[in-house]
Amino acid sequence: MKTWYELNIIIPSSGGAERYTTCPQPECSRSRKKKNAKCLSVNVDKEVWVCHHCGWKGSLKQGEQGRPQADRWKPQVYARPVYVVPPTPSDQLVAFFEERHITSPTLERYKISLGIEWMPVSEDRVPVIQFPYLRGEEIINIKSRSLIGKEFRQTADAEKILYGLNDIEGSVYAIFVEGECDKLAIAEAGEYRVVSVPDGAPAANAKPSAKKFEYLENCQAFLDPLTQIVLAVDNDEPGKALERELVRRLGPERCWMVQWPEGIKDANQMLVEHGAEALRETISQARPTPIEHVLRVQDLATALLDYYHSGRQRGLSTGWPALDQFFTISPGQFTSITGIPSHGKSEFLDALMINMMSQHGSVFAIYSPENQPTEHHLAKLAEKIEGLPFLPGQTERMSPDQLFHAINWLEANLFIIDAPEPLSVDELLEKARALVLQKGITHLIIDPWNELDHARPERETETDYISKCLSKMKRFGRRHAVHTFCVAHPVKLVRDKNGNYPVPTPYDISGSAHWRNKPDNCLTIWRNTQDDEHYSEAHLMKVRWKQNGRIGVTAFQWSPVNGRYSETALREDQH
C-alpha cells in the first residue's frame, strides 16, 4: 500500500476530511498555464483521491483506479495519417469508378488508391477506396469507403477539413457537395473548384452540432475570400438540412442553390445519367438565396404548403409552461428586455438561457460587460445548472464534481465575447457572425445596450442612430436564424406611495421609441422590492407574431440560494 508521499500528493495541513491540492501528474497541472490550480480532491478519512481535471483517481488501499485522461482544455492535437501515394490507380479501382463515369486521370489527380482497412460494421479487414484529404502538400485525413457495400471510416483523431480544399485556395467561387464521388463527378465536367463535406449531411431532424461542422472553422482561411458559394448537395431530406445549415453559417448573401432534375439525387448520378454537359448546365442554373425583402411566390411555395398543413408553428419553449402561454422563442427574432436596475433582468435572462440549453441544446454567445469578472458570472450559471450554491454558506454547496459537470456542460453551449474596450454594434455583430460559422450559435445576448461603444456621427440624432443599430441587429438575426436578446435600461422612474417602481414599458427605454417599434418581442422584468424581494414578474409588452404568444404577465419566485426561477401565482394587488 502506497503513502501520500509515495504518490507525490501534498496534503494541505488544514481543512476537514475533504481537502484540495495540486495534481502531481506531469500531464496535468504542470502542462497548464495555471500550474498551481487545486484540481485534486483528497479525502483523508477515506484515503481516496480524484483529479477533476485529468481524471486520475484511486485509493491508498486499492491503488490507482484510473490513469490521467487527455487534458480537456489543451489545444486539440490531431493525428496525421501515413499514406503512400500510388503511382497509378489499380485496375480494380479504375473499374469501380468507370461505373460512375470517373476516369483514371481524375483518380491520379486526387491521389485515390485501394487499400485494406478494418471496418467496424463488417468487423473485418476489407478492401477499401482511400480518399486522402490534403491541405497544401500535407495529408490531413484519409476517408475510407468499403469497395463492396457502403461503409465509411476516417483516420482516428484526425482533423476534419473539406475534401478538395486545395482546389479553392485563393478562389472567390466554390461549389459544396455532399460526397467525394460528387466532387470527382464535377471535376469530370471540367470544374475543379469543388469541395465535399467530410461527414455527409446531418439527419433531417437532428440538431446540427458544432462537432459536425467543425470543418468550417478549420477551413476558415479558405472560406473567408469566397463571394459565391454554390450548394449542390443531395436532393433528399438530410441534404436539405445540410443546405439550410450551410446557408445559415456561411451567410445567405453568398449562397446559391442547385436544383437537381426530377429523379436525380446528386452530382454523380447526374453525370452518369445525363452526361457532363448537362451537369455543367444544371450547376450554372443555380439560384441565389432570395434577396432580403425581394421574394417570388415560388420561393415561398414550400413554406406556404407547410403552413397550410401544419398551421402556425410556435417558437421554442422557455422552460416555464406558464410563460410559454405568452412567449416562445423563434429563430431570427429580436427581443428587447428592460426593467428597473437591480430588478433581475440579467438574472432572469441567465435562467432562460440555461433552460434553452437544457431543453433544446441551444448554443449562446453572450456579450455582458456588466457581468464581470466573468468567473463570477460563470459561478452564477453553475448554480442554476446544479441547483446548489457555489460558495459555502448555510446550505450544502455544490461539490467539485458538480462544478466540473457544469463547466463541461457550459463549454459546449456558451461562448463569451470579451473585449478590453467596449465594442461597437458593427464589431459585436462581426464577432457573432464568426461564431455562427465556427460554433453554430443560435442565440445572442447583449447585456446591456449602454455598455456598447455608441460613438456616432456628429449630426446623427440618437433616435436615428438607435433605429439604424436595431435594424442591423435584426438583419443579422434573420440572415443567420439567430434569436437576439438585448437588455436596455429605462429612464429614471418615480416610486409609488408603497415604495415600488411602476412596471417600465418599452417606451420608457432611454433613447428612442424605436425600442417599442422595432423588436419582435418586448419583455419587462419587474420585482417587488418592498413586500417580497424574491417575487418577480415577467411582462410581455409586445409579441409581433401570434404563433409566438401574446401580451400578458407571468409571476416567478426567485431563489437566492441557487438563482433559479419557479413559477408562482400572480399577485393581483402588486400594481
Side-chain angles (χ1 to χ4, degrees), residues 271 296 475 516 536:
L271 175 68
R296 296 180 300 176
R475 282 197 299 272
R516 168 62 176 78
S536 182

Side-chain angles (χ1 to χ4, degrees), residues 302-495:
T302 301
L304 188 61
L305 287 170
D306 289 343
Y307 184 23
Y308 176 81
H309 291 295
S310 306
R312 292 190 179 101
Q313 297 299 304
R314 299 210 76 197
L316 298 175
S317 168
T318 64
W320 295 297
L323 183 59
D324 285 347
Q325 299 176 64
F326 306 110
F327 182 43
T328 57
I329 300 170
S330 289
Q333 292 191 0
F334 181 85
T335 297
S336 68
I337 300 177
T338 193
I340 301 296
S342 301
H343 273 213
K345 300 182 293 297
S346 299
E347 192 81 27
F348 184 85
L349 194 50
D350 281 349
L352 175 62
M353 177 174 69
I354 296 301
N355 285 357
M356 298 290 293
M357 291 176 179
S358 176
Q359 290 200 4
H360 312 296
S362 302
V363 183
F364 277 75
I366 182 167
Y367 178 69
S368 186
E370 283 190 349
N371 273 309
Q372 297 287 346
T374 304
E375 56 267 29
H376 291 185
H377 188 196
L378 292 177
K380 291 165 62 178
L381 296 178
E383 289 181 336
K384 290 177 172 60
I385 294 169
E386 299 301 327
L388 292 168
F390 182 84
L391 295 173
Q394 296 181 345
T395 60
E396 177 190 3
R397 71 185 299 200
M398 69 181 71
S399 68
D401 280 340
Q402 290 170 316
L403 173 58
F404 273 84
H405 169 264
I407 289 172
N408 289 329
W409 199 77
L410 288 169
E411 170 69 15
N413 293 281
L414 177 64
F415 299 91
I416 300 165
I417 299 173
D418 190 16
E421 299 295 334
L423 298 174
S424 68
V425 169
D426 289 338
E427 289 170 333
L428 175 59
L429 295 181
E430 191 57 40
K431 293 184 185 299
R433 285 188 191 96
L435 286 170
V436 172
L437 169 66
Q438 296 177 15
K439 306 299 181 183
I441 65 166
T442 54
H443 298 76
L444 171 66
I445 292 176
I446 303 167
D447 181 16
W449 162 261
N450 67 290
E451 288 288 345
L452 290 164
D453 177 6
H454 294 302
R456 65 179 192 268
E458 185 176 346
R459 296 185 180 181
E460 185 174 44
T461 67
E462 184 178 19
T463 294
D464 289 343
Y465 168 76
I466 290 175
S467 174
K468 181 174 67 177
C469 289
L470 295 183
S471 293
K472 287 179 179 179
M473 290 190 283
K474 290 183 65 178
R475 282 197 299 272
F476 162 79
R478 287 197 298 268
R479 283 175 178 170
H480 298 286
V482 171
H483 192 114
T484 303
F485 300 90
C486 186
V487 175
H489 297 312
V491 297
K492 187 173 182 180
L493 300 175
V494 180
R495 296 177 186 265

Side-chain angles (χ1 to χ4, degrees), residues 65-184:
Q65 298 165 11
R67 294 301 303 162
Q69 301 169 357
D71 188 340
R72 287 182 293 242
W73 291 280
K74 279 185 180 178
Q76 177 69 50
V77 177
Y78 295 109
R80 287 287 188 261
V82 176
Y83 185 72
V84 178
V85 179
T88 56
S90 68
D91 292 342
Q92 192 175 15
L93 188 68
V94 170
F96 177 91
F97 280 102
E98 276 182 349
E99 295 181 6
R100 291 158 177 77
H101 292 206
I102 295 169
T103 62
S104 183
T106 298
L107 302 181
E108 291 184 35
R109 175 187 175 96
Y110 293 103
K111 300 177 172 56
I112 299 167
S113 70
L114 202 60
I116 301 293
E117 282 287 344
W118 172 270
M119 301 303 276
V121 175
S122 298
E123 294 185 337
D124 198 3
R125 288 173 58 81
V126 299
V128 296
I129 302 163
Q130 296 177 310
F131 299 93
Y133 280 57
L134 286 88
R135 185 168 55 209
E137 296 299 317
E138 187 176 12
I139 295 176
I140 304 299
N141 194 0
I142 295 174
K143 187 170 181 179
S144 298
R145 170 185 170 154
S146 58
L147 193 62
I148 299 173
K150 205 170 182 180
E151 291 184 59
F152 296 94
R153 67 169 298 178
Q154 298 181 45
T155 303
D157 300 321
E159 181 181 0
K160 295 293 181 67
I161 63 170
L162 292 159
Y163 179 67
L165 190 61
N166 289 342
D167 284 340
I168 66 168
E169 183 175 13
S171 177
V172 296
Y173 172 89
I175 301 170
F176 272 63
V177 294
E178 199 173 314
E180 293 81 9
C181 287
D182 296 321
K183 150 75 177 172
L184 303 179

Side-chain angles (χ1 to χ4, degrees), residues 51 61 120 555:
C51 178
K61 293 180 180 178

